[in-house]
């Protein structure tokens, strides 16, 4: 039904509608495939079934804490509707600096080493665009967030996936990193806690990675947007490793920990030379992140958001235990996610591909979950299930998956 | 109250139907410990009752709720205890609070219709000896009760699938 995943849809149109506008498109725009998540979304939307329980989202089920929303509303009432400085409101950058220091023992100069972006998404884009030259290789441990490789392509680089395995809890190993490095390798993208696997990497586990990064003169883009959602121990930032601060562009944001996806607020921190290059691109393309979003982000970091953040985090943790146990009880292997809000059970025992499984689960059991192969190498055979949804919905979803599995026997 | 019990209460407050087994999984605890903590809290009347929050305005069989401010004379030695008891024993009375400020007791009354509530106030409440004055306020619409918003406010507005 949706087997043309690998073939870019645009190409198909090209053939069927001669005289269309496709030939005007740049090759890189034509050739990046549409997101697998998007395709699955279309499939779910097309079914128009009100009864579907979705585990397919990648965002909190909480609305932004009220005080944060209120701060933004109040700022609008006061008429704060102008541009801010390109790098973001100085008081917001101060607050981010203070926050990073309190939470993760990182010290960044808000004036030179920081930029407020339109979501973590823009931070990733800026970092890659500032670093990549045609042909550069960008190392991406997979399965991972779906955007890294297409943005790399758009910037003229070549994404090189490094497969990670459930046996290693989907952590990047020094051996596989070393094996993937070539003279063209320039950037390593890290994302821990990970979307979609929920894997984390501890300080000790990252040390050998840092050594290889140093030896091979790599730059690391460390996407730590799920840092606050770490359930086992405390999150260690890659930038906090010895010698790594100057080699790391830390990308983070407010979407996940503060339940602010729609606000589009993020930030990037790093060496002044790297940040000022990113700032140039940002200034010519975006000017500055939205002002009301910046006001809201400031409130989130200072007064209104921190306590709520801890409360939401505890609630995710409770639901995480429920879901992981649920999958294991129904006989699906499920490594223990230690961060973010995704469980990544294996459906290999059913003999189906993850796409077949996800599609049948949707149609027969009315549960939507994202097939793992869309997240790159090593994702095939797994299912991404976001547990940021109510306990009653989760319980119902688990029951449905369980009876679906039993119907296969 | 220890943290473990507080976490259990937090979960039950949201959903009284959660089983001890589910709560135990969610808290990473043993089911037996959760069951015994719940039993203890029931015994100690920390957990008083498992009730259902109902939006009666959606049910045809509508009810009328009124809040009555009651001014009364306290009794020597027992203050407002006796009179509060006299009032709360009536089945029509849903809640009774002793208040600071312009009046003494706040009484919530539920009846089938306006007339029934009015007659309760004039025949039962006002005739209690120590009651000096009452003032009735009828509730026209409930927006939020016990922390729960009644409008379909809390729906999930997220896309079905997203990154
Ligand atoms: C790993 C990862 N990085 C970045 C983002 C983008 O987040 P933002 O809303 O800050 O752009 C997401 C969102 O799903 C994500 O999962």
């Amino acid at each position: 039904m949706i087997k043309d995943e690998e073939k870019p849809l645009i190409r198909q149109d090209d053939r069927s509608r001669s005289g269309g506008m496709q030939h005007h498109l740049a090759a890189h725009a034509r050739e990046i495939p549409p997101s697998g998540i998007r395709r699955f979304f279309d499939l779910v939307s097309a079914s128009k079934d009100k009864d579907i329980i979705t585990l397919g989202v990648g965002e909190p089920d909480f609305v932004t804490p009220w005080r944060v929303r209120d701060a933004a509303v109040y700022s609008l009432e006061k008429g704060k509707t102008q541009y801010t400085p390109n790098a973001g409101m100085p008081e917001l950058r101060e607050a981010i600096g203070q926050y990073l220091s309190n939470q993760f023992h990182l010290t960044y100069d808000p004036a030179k080493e920081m930029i407020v972006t339109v979501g973590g998404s823009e931070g990733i884009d800026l970092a890659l665009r500032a670093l990549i030259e045609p042909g550069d290789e960008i190392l991406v441990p997979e399965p991972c967030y779906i955007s890294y490789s297409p943005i790399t392509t758009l910037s003229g680089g070549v994404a090189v996936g490094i497969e990670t395995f459930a046996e290693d809890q989907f952590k990047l190993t020094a051996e596989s990193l070393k094996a993937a490095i070539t003279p063209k390798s320039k950037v390593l993208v890290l994302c821990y806690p990970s979307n979609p696997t929920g894997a984390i990497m501890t300080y000790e586990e990252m040390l050998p990675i840092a050594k290889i990064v140093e030896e091979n003169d790599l730059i690391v883009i460390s996407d730590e947007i799920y840092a606050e959602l770490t359930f086992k121990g405390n999150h260690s930032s890659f930038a906090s490793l010895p010698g790594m601060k100057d080699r790391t562009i830390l990308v983070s944001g407010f979407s996940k920990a503060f339940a602010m996806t729609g606000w589009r607020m993020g930030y990037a921190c790093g060496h002044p030379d790297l940040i000022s290059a990113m700032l140039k691109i940002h200034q010519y393309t975006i000017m500055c992140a939205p002002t009301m979003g910046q006001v809201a982000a400031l409130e989130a970091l200072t007064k209104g958001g921190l306590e709520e953040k801890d409360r939401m985090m505890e609630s995710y943790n409770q639901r995480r235990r429920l879901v992981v146990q649920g999958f294991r009880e129904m006989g699906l292997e499920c490594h223990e996610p230690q961060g973010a809000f995704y469980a990544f059970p294996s459906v290999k025992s059913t003999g189906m591909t993850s796409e077949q499984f996800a599609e049948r689960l949707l149609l027969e059991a009315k549960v939507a979950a994202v097939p793992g192969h869309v997240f790159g190498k090593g994702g095939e055979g797994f299912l991404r299930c976001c547990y940021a949804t109510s306990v009653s919905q989760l319980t119902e979803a688990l029951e449905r998956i369980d009876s679906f599995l039993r119907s296969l026997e | 109250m220890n943290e473990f019990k507080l976490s259990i209460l937090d979960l039950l407050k949201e959903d009284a139907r959660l089983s001890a087994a589910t709560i135990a999984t969610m808290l990473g605890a043993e089911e037996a410990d959760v069951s015994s903590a719940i039993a203890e809290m029931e015994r100690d009347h920390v957990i008083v009752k498992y009730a259902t929050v109902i939006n009666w305005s959606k049910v045809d069989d509508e009810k009328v709720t009124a809040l009555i401010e009651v001014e009364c004379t306290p009794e020597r030695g027992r203050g407002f205890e006796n009179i509060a008891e006299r009032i709360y024993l009536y089945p029509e009375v849903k809640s009774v609070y002793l208040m600071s400020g312009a009046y003494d007791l706040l009484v919530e009354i539920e009846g089938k219709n306006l007339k029934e509530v009015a007659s309760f106030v004039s025949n039962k409440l006002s005739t209690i000896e120590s009651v000096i004055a009452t003032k009735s306020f009828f509730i026209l619409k409930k927006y939020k009760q016990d922390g729960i918003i009644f409008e379909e406010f809390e729906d999930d507005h997220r896309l079905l699938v997203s990154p």
Side-chain angles (χ1 to χ4, degrees):
Chain A
M1 185 163 161
I2 45 169
K3 281 286 159 299
D4 40 26
E5 140 89 341
E6 284 79 45
K7 302 175 227 147
L9 293 180
I10 291 167
R11 279 273 178 83
Q12 282 194 332
D13 287 358
D14 218 4
R15 268 180 268 126
S16 55
R17 277 196 256 134
S18 51
M21 302 302 281
Q22 302 300 332
H23 64 285
H24 288 291
L25 290 174
H28 61 233
R30 222 172 24 217
E31 272 155 26
I32 49 169
S35 141
I37 287 199
R38 181 78 229 169
R39 288 161 28 79
F40 201 70
F41 171 79
D42 292 343
L43 183 67
V44 174
S45 308
S47 87
K48 289 221 171 35
D49 194 325
K50 285 254 183 308
D51 192 32
I52 290 174
I53 297 181
T54 181
L55 307 178
V57 298
E59 62 182 322
D61 61 330
F62 296 100
V63 288
T64 309
W66 165 245
R67 290 192 47 181
V68 173
R69 286 183 276 152
D70 194 39
V73 169
Y74 185 55
S75 85
L76 286 178
E77 284 174 355
K78 281 196 301 183
K80 275 203 187 178
T81 58
Q82 295 81 14
Y83 289 131
T84 72
N86 293 128
M89 283 164 32
E91 54 275 44
L92 174 58
R93 277 179 281 147
E94 286 288 343
I96 292 170
Q98 196 59 51
Y99 176 76
L100 290 176
S101 142
N102 294 345
Q103 298 277 319
F104 308 118
H105 313 293
L106 296 167
T107 32
Y108 285 107
D109 176 356
K112 296 199 191 75
E113 300 181 317
M114 200 180 291
I115 170 174
V116 176
T117 57
V118 177
S121 302
E122 196 216 348
I124 298 163
D125 183 39
L126 290 178
L128 287 168
R129 281 208 273 168
L131 294 168
I132 294 178
E133 289 191 46
D136 284 344
E137 288 180 355
I138 312 306
L139 305 164
V140 186
E142 292 179 341
C144 71
Y145 179 51
I146 51 167
S147 296
Y148 305 136
S149 143
I151 301 181
T152 300
T153 310
L154 287 175
S155 314
V158 180
V160 179
I162 306 177
E163 186 168 352
T164 62
F165 301 92
E167 300 83 84
D168 303 323
Q169 277 86 50
F170 295 104
K171 295 168 196 271
L172 174 65
T173 61
E175 300 74 54
S176 54
L177 172 59
K178 210 180 247 168
I181 288 176
T182 73
K184 289 188 184 156
S185 306
K186 182 158 186 188
V187 175
L188 168 65
V189 180
L190 292 179
C191 175
Y192 296 99
S194 154
N195 172 8
T197 65
I200 63 165
M201 282 189 73
T202 64
Y203 190 87
E204 286 71 30
E205 287 162 347
M206 288 187 296
L207 279 172
I209 307 289
K211 190 157 163 273
I212 299 171
V213 165
E214 182 104 63
E215 285 165 4
N216 293 277
D217 196 21
L218 299 179
I219 292 287
V220 172
I221 297 175
S222 185
D223 179 350
E224 300 183 25
I225 197 141
Y226 293 102
E228 290 88 346
L229 303 181
T230 299
F231 305 113
K232 286 278 168 73
N234 291 322
H235 171 75
S236 297
S237 172
F238 192 79
S240 71
L241 272 76
M244 286 303 114
K245 188 185 163 201
D246 282 350
R247 291 193 172 276
T248 303
I249 298 176
L250 168 70
V251 174
S252 193
F254 297 83
S255 286
K256 315 292 173 173
F258 296 95
M260 291 176 65
T261 47
W263 298 83
R264 312 307 307 124
M265 291 306 304
Y267 52 89
C269 304
H271 190 280
D273 292 349
L274 303 179
I275 291 297
S276 76
M278 287 165 64
L279 185 57
K280 271 193 289 185
I281 305 174
H282 174 76
Q283 139 190 319
Y284 291 127
T285 51
I286 302 286
M287 308 275 279
C288 67
T291 305
M292 28 297 188
Q294 294 192 49
V295 172
L298 179 59
E299 176 74 18
L301 288 185
T302 47
K303 299 185 253 359
L306 296 174
E307 227 170 78
E308 289 291 291
K309 175 191 72 136
D310 293 342
R311 198 178 58 77
M312 293 189 276
M313 145 89 187
E314 186 46 40
S315 170
Y316 294 133
N317 195 8
Q318 291 169 352
R319 293 180 272 171
R320 175 183 73 108
R321 295 191 187 111
L322 188 69
V323 166
V324 172
Q325 167 130 339
F327 283 130
R328 288 180 181 169
E329 275 171 4
M330 64 181 84
L332 292 184
E333 256 176 55
C334 183
H335 92 106
E336 192 187 339
Q338 305 195 343
F341 35 51
Y342 308 102
F344 205 56
S346 164
V347 295
K348 289 176 185 164
S349 60
T350 64
M352 283 186 254
T353 66
S354 49
E355 180 154 336
Q356 287 165 337
F357 188 92
E359 196 172 321
R360 283 189 60 184
L361 185 67
L362 175 69
L363 300 175
E364 293 169 35
K366 300 189 178 154
V367 175
V370 185
H373 72 93
V374 311
F375 301 101
K377 279 186 190 162
E380 177 49 51
F382 296 87
L383 210 56
R384 190 191 74 174
C385 301
C386 174
Y387 51 78
T389 195
S390 71
V391 173
S392 56
Q393 291 269 328
L394 286 176
T395 317
E396 171 71 23
L398 289 170
E399 274 165 23
R400 291 189 192 178
I401 299 171
D402 188 33
S403 26
F404 173 68
L405 284 172
R406 276 185 281 118
S407 77
L408 300 175
E409 277 162 11
Chain B
M1 175 82 35
N2 64 30
E3 196 134 325
F4 179 54
K5 284 185 176 169
L6 279 178
S7 308
I8 296 175
L9 291 179
D10 272 340
L11 289 172
L12 285 176
K13 184 189 73 192
E14 289 299 318
D15 184 355
R17 293 193 301 179
L18 286 183
S19 68
T22 304
I23 293 175
T25 309
M26 292 177 75
L27 298 179
E30 294 298 324
E31 184 177 341
D33 294 340
V34 172
S35 299
S36 77
I38 291 176
E40 215 171 286
M41 290 191 285
E42 287 171 350
R43 195 195 61 215
D44 297 345
H45 284 257
V46 171
I47 296 175
V48 183
K49 189 172 183 162
Y50 298 92
T52 309
V53 180
I54 297 167
N55 186 354
W56 284 108
S57 68
K58 293 221 161 172
V59 181
D60 287 342
D61 167 38
E62 270 193 39
K63 296 175 191 232
V64 177
T65 313
L67 297 175
I68 322 287
E69 296 179 358
V70 182
E71 227 181 292
C72 46
T73 334
E75 289 173 23
R76 170 167 308 164
R78 294 217 56 197
F80 294 96
E81 302 300 303
N82 275 347
I83 163 148
E85 186 186 9
R86 279 212 58 185
I87 295 175
Y88 70 58
L89 286 174
Y90 284 108
E92 294 90 336
V93 173
K94 294 294 152 204
S95 55
V96 178
Y97 308 106
L98 180 62
M99 309 292 287
S100 71
Y103 58 96
D104 306 302
L105 298 174
L106 183 65
V107 178
E108 186 185 354
I109 294 175
E110 203 172 81
K112 281 203 205 67
N113 49 43
L114 222 95
K115 212 167 119 206
E116 194 180 270
V117 174
S119 100
F120 176 80
V121 174
S122 55
N123 297 336
K124 302 281 169 53
L125 255 188
S126 309
T127 56
I128 296 172
E129 215 177 309
S130 38
V131 170
I132 301 166
T134 62
K135 226 191 244 181
S136 307
F137 304 86
F138 286 91
I139 291 175
L140 302 181
K141 180 171 179 183
K142 283 188 185 170
Y143 294 99
K144 184 177 184 180
Q145 183 186 324
D146 299 332
I148 297 159
I149 295 171
F150 275 15
E151 296 290 299
E152 265 112 307
F153 214 77
E154 309 194 64
D155 277 1
D156 195 340
H157 294 298
R158 297 175 299 172
L159 300 173
L160 289 167
V161 177
S162 71

